[in-house]
Amino acid sequence: MKERDRMKKGVILKVISIVFALMTILAIACAITGTGSGFLDLSNIARAGFIGAAVICGILASITWKCAKSKTD
């Protein structure tokens, strides 16, 4: 029974890791395509925020993937 619970936790962690990886890809795409002009141009601030979010989500994705690997092994 304990082995089954560990496998469930491993699968859940892998799914969370994939979601974080997709969020990383989305944040990178938003940072690349974010352009602006006008009176109050905040595209540089938004680009920095998206890059920061991409880095954080990438780190979380790798950590959860490693935890999932240890749960299933």
Side-chain angles (χ1 to χ4, degrees):
M1 200 63 163
K2 289 183 181 180
E3 183 68 28
R4 189 173 175 182
D5 290 338
R6 286 179 56 193
M7 292 295 285
K8 280 184 180 180
K9 287 180 184 178
V11 170
I12 290 170
L13 286 173
K14 283 183 182 179
V15 169
I16 291 171
S17 175
I18 291 169
V19 169
F20 277 133
L22 292 174
M23 288 173 55
T24 301
I25 293 169
L26 179 66
I28 290 170
C30 289
I32 291 171
T33 60
T35 60
S37 61
F39 172 69
L40 188 61
D41 183 19
L42 299 175
S43 64
N44 290 335
I45 296 170
R47 185 175 295 124
F50 282 125
I51 290 171
V55 169
I56 291 170
C57 288
I59 291 170
L60 289 175
S62 65
I63 290 171
T64 53
W65 186 262
K66 287 181 183 178
C67 288
K69 287 289 194 181
S70 68
K71 292 286 184 189
T72 56
D73 292 341

